[in-house]
Amino acid sequence: AATDADLDGIVESLQALPAGIGAIATYTVARDLRLDPTNASIMVVADFDSVADYREYSTHPDHVAVINQQIKPILSHRSAIQVELA
């Protein structure tokens, strides 16, 4: 299970991404504290000017590193990642 320190570290790493990824138009990252205390959630809201900009972000080495090094190791079989494209 993810600890508060794990989740806070992920949030900090995700918050640092826009500085190195120019494709992001607007970006907000936070712990979603509205959920049941037994369910940890991180919310990322990102806007891009084009599909190409989204692809640049989603495949950028810094973004991929956060996913692989911090998020994947704490996922359980019941975890869900949701991406909505508007």
Side-chain angles (χ1 to χ4, degrees), residues 18-79:
I21 306 175
I24 301 169
T26 62
Y27 193 74
T28 304
V29 179
R31 294 270 305 271
D32 186 349
L33 302 177
R34 296 173 292 162
L35 298 175
D36 182 288
T38 62
N39 187 7
S41 181
I42 295 172
M43 179 180 65
V44 178
V45 178
D47 291 317
F48 304 92
D49 291 329
S50 68
V51 172
D53 287 349
Y54 168 73
R55 287 186 182 132
E56 178 183 340
Y57 164 77
S58 64
T59 60
H60 192 281
D62 292 344
H63 178 257
V64 172
V66 172
I67 299 295
N68 288 333
Q69 296 169 12
Q70 292 180 271
I71 296 175
K72 282 185 178 179
I74 64 170
L75 291 177
S76 73
H77 67 281
R78 294 175 289 161
S79 296

